[in-house]
Structures are given as C-alpha cells and as structure tokens.
Amino acid sequence: MPKPHNEAAKGSQAKRSALGIIRYADDFVLVHRNKDILDRIILECEKWLSLMGLTLAPSKCQLKLASQSFQFLDFQITYLFPGPARKKGKILICPSKKSIMRVTTKTRQIIQSNKAASAYQLAGKLRPLVVGWGNYFQYCECKETFSKVDNIIYQQLRAWALRRAVRQGRMVVMAKYFPKGNTYAFQGRSYSTNWVFSGDKKTKCGGTLTTHVPKLAWISSKKFAKVKGSYSVYDANRMYWSLRNSKYSFFSHRKTKLLQMQNGYCASCKKAFVNGDVMEVDHIIPKSKGGQDRYSNLQLLHRHCHISKTKNDLTTP
C-alpha cells in the first residue's frame, strides 16, 4: 500500500528512484533512471496536456541519455561520468553556444549601428546588455565562457575605435577609448585594470559624466540555493522570501535591503528576526547629532531595541 504524502519515503535511495521534474513556464525536463518509466510518464503528460487542449511539440521534445548533452533555458547541461580525474559523477552546466552567439551578435549589431555615436552613448547601450546576460548565467560554470565573451566584445569595440583612427594614430585612439591606469567600480567592488572601454560627456553644469562597459569576468559565479521544503511566494513566510529575493519582499525597499545586509539579524540584540516581529529603521548616529540618511548610517532593529537605543541617545550628551 502506498504511503500518504506526508509519510513519503525519504533518504538517498528514495531520491535516486524518484522522478525529477524541472519546470520554468511551459518548458520542463523530466529525469529518471529507467527509460521505460520515462516513456510511460511522457504518455501521461500527453494525456494530461490534451485535457487543456495542449500538445507536446515533437521538434522540442527529446529523450536523451545522461551522457548526452542537452540545452535548457539557454544552459548547456552535461553529465560527466566518474573517471580517473574524478571519483564521482558531476553535472556540468554552462552557457550554451547559441546563447554566446546570440549575445555577441547583439553587441556587434549595436556597435555597427552606432558608428557615429560617442563612446559614452555606445557604452550606455552595451552596458545593460552585457551585465544582464552575465547576471543570468552567473549561477553556473561561467568563468571560462565569460572570459571568451569578454575577448569577443573587446575585439568588436577595438574595431569600432580603430575605424576612427584617420587623422590620429592607433595608439592615441586606443588610449582615448581604452584608458590605462583607471579604477572602475562595479557591484560594490573596485577594479584597477586596462583595456576597459569607457567614455565621458560634459554636462550643462560643466561637470563630466563617465561610464564604461564592465567585464563579464567581474561578475563572480554564484551557487544557486534551492527553495527550502515546500515554501512558496504565496505563503506567509515573509522573512524567508525577503532574505532570499527582494522581488518577493512584503517590506519596504529600505527595510528589505537592511534585512539582507544584516543577514536577518537585529543589529542591537543580535537575534534573528522572525515572522511577526516589528522592525524599525534606526540611524546609528542620530540626525540631531549630524548623522546622515545613508545606508552606512542605518540599521534595522526590533521595536523594543529601537526604543532602548533612543532612550540611551537622549540621555547621552
């Protein structure tokens, strides 16, 4: 007799024999050790989809062995069997060749359609494309791919710059668009490097605005953490989703950012915030004493911790 849902078998053996389902919108992957079971599951999927008037597209459906690479959501997924170099099998996930071709084609089209634009304008159009593509693929084995794409984009920008080397020499033009000795800020870190495409423009007030095309190699690879248990963005666990993804936070932007900066802990009592706690934003140095309204001078406290700190601030000369 099968066990109830809440008493389902657990453990590594149960996980190995269970069906794996990975879904995003209308794209999904089914994983199982037994091909016969997969064939039966595919038939059941077709029956279930037919009830809603949908069908599986034969051109998009494939049945492959684990050793055969396949693409899903622009990721290339390959299973590497154990061998002399590794004791255990490994799943290798990296950006697909199609996604690399797509992004480099877009950058080339933008560069070619802006031959007369300034370096500031061109960098402003390339930057969101490069950063957005890199952020999407940062949760996989991306280091080698990012270096490869960086080199392709550099060659494209180098050709754009040297096209302008008519009256000036190549070295002068390259020094103008790829200045040496500069320090660039990106995602809270600073990089002192050369061969970074940058441009500037004068403002009406006489100042100068500068922008650059960041290197994909500056986007560090991250490990994706699965959603715990049966948590959902529709449940009442506000604290978990605020810490995991600010997109699903129920709190204000300021509270959510401070909550993430403090890893979910009160800055005063050092205890973790839980659902139902009343949280308040506090100025570390009160504004009455010259404290600025910046995140470096802000902290998130329990209400009772905030009251205690405020009393101490009032009694301290």
Side-chain angles (χ1 to χ4, degrees):
M1 180 180 294
K3 294 182 179 182
H5 176 70
N6 58 354
E7 297 181 8
K10 298 180 180 180
S12 58
Q13 184 63 33
K15 289 182 179 179
R16 284 195 296 267
S17 60
L19 173 70
I21 303 176
I22 304 94
R23 184 186 71 85
Y24 181 83
D26 59 344
D27 296 321
F28 62 92
V29 176
L30 303 174
V31 182
H32 200 274
R33 297 164 63 90
N34 193 314
K35 181 180 179 298
D36 294 333
I37 293 178
L38 269 180
D39 290 332
R40 293 171 59 185
I41 292 172
I42 292 173
L43 292 175
E44 291 298 324
C45 287
E46 291 177 342
K47 292 178 182 178
W48 182 72
L49 289 172
S50 64
L51 298 175
M52 296 180 286
L54 302 175
T55 57
L56 293 174
S59 59
K60 296 183 178 180
C61 297
Q62 294 180 327
L63 185 61
K64 290 190 173 184
L65 296 173
S67 58
Q68 295 176 305
S69 178
F70 69 96
Q71 294 183 22
F72 182 63
L73 302 178
D74 279 342
F75 290 92
Q76 194 75 28
I77 304 170
T78 308
Y79 178 74
L80 304 177
F81 283 98
R86 67 185 67 84
K87 295 182 179 180
K88 296 182 179 180
K90 178 183 178 182
I91 299 295
L92 178 64
I93 304 176
C94 59
S96 66
K97 292 182 179 179
K98 287 185 178 180
S99 63
I100 297 173
M101 183 68 69
R102 191 180 300 116
V103 70
T104 53
T105 299
K106 286 183 179 179
T107 55
R108 184 177 68 252
Q109 290 173 346
I110 291 174
I111 292 171
Q112 290 180 347
S113 60
N114 288 274
K115 293 180 179 179
S118 66
Y120 183 88
Q121 293 172 330
L122 181 58
K125 293 182 179 181
L126 289 174
R127 186 184 177 100
L129 173 62
V130 173
V131 175
W133 190 85
N135 287 340
Y136 179 78
F137 287 105
Q138 66 180 332
Y139 294 99
C140 69
E141 300 287 341
C142 57
K143 184 177 180 180
E144 184 178 345
T145 302
F146 282 2
S147 297
K148 178 180 178 180
V149 176
D150 275 337
N151 182 59
I152 295 174
I153 295 176
Y154 166 74
Q155 296 296 337
Q156 294 173 348
L157 290 170
R158 180 177 179 273
W160 179 91
L162 293 180
R163 181 178 175 273
R164 301 190 170 199
V166 179
R167 298 179 181 178
Q168 298 174 321
R170 289 192 168 197
M171 298 301 295
V172 175
V173 172
M174 290 296 290
K176 176 181 179 181
Y177 297 112
F178 299 90
K180 297 182 179 180
N182 286 359
T183 300
Y184 304 93
F186 181 72
Q187 293 185 348
R189 297 184 298 272
S190 298
Y191 299 90
S192 298
T193 183
N194 299 327
W195 308 115
V196 176
F197 184 82
S198 62
D200 52 45
K201 75 170 184 177
K202 299 292 184 180
T203 63
K204 294 181 179 179
C205 301
T208 302
L209 295 176
T210 304
T211 188
H212 63 278
V213 180
K215 295 288 187 180
L216 284 167
W218 296 351
I219 302 177
S220 57
S221 177
K222 296 181 180 179
K223 297 295 183 182
F224 180 80
K226 291 184 178 180
V227 176
K228 290 184 178 180
S230 58
Y231 287 5
S232 168
V233 294
Y234 302 106
D235 59 25
N237 199 327
R238 300 184 176 186
M239 202 63 58
Y240 174 79
W241 288 105
S242 297
L243 288 170
R244 180 180 175 85
N245 192 336
S246 58
K247 176 182 177 181
Y248 302 113
S249 176
F250 292 85
F251 307 114
S252 65
H253 175 75
R254 176 176 284 192
K255 282 188 178 181
T256 301
K257 186 167 184 176
L258 289 172
L259 191 65
Q260 293 176 340
M261 290 171 61
Q262 298 173 197
N263 294 320
Y265 287 85
C266 174
S268 178
C269 66
K270 307 303 180 183
K271 293 182 179 180
F273 291 110
V274 297
N275 285 325
D277 285 349
V278 180
M279 301 178 296
E280 295 182 348
V281 178
D282 170 67
H283 289 80
I284 300 173
I285 301 176
K287 296 178 71 174
S288 59
K289 297 182 180 181
Q292 296 181 329
D293 195 23
R294 297 180 178 178
Y295 281 106
S296 58
N297 190 47
L298 296 177
Q299 60 184 356
L300 197 62
L301 307 175
H302 290 106
R303 172 172 286 180
H304 57 274
C305 294
H306 191 194
I307 293 174
S308 299
K309 179 182 178 298
T310 303
K311 289 181 179 179
N312 292 333
D313 290 340
L314 293 175
T315 56
T316 303

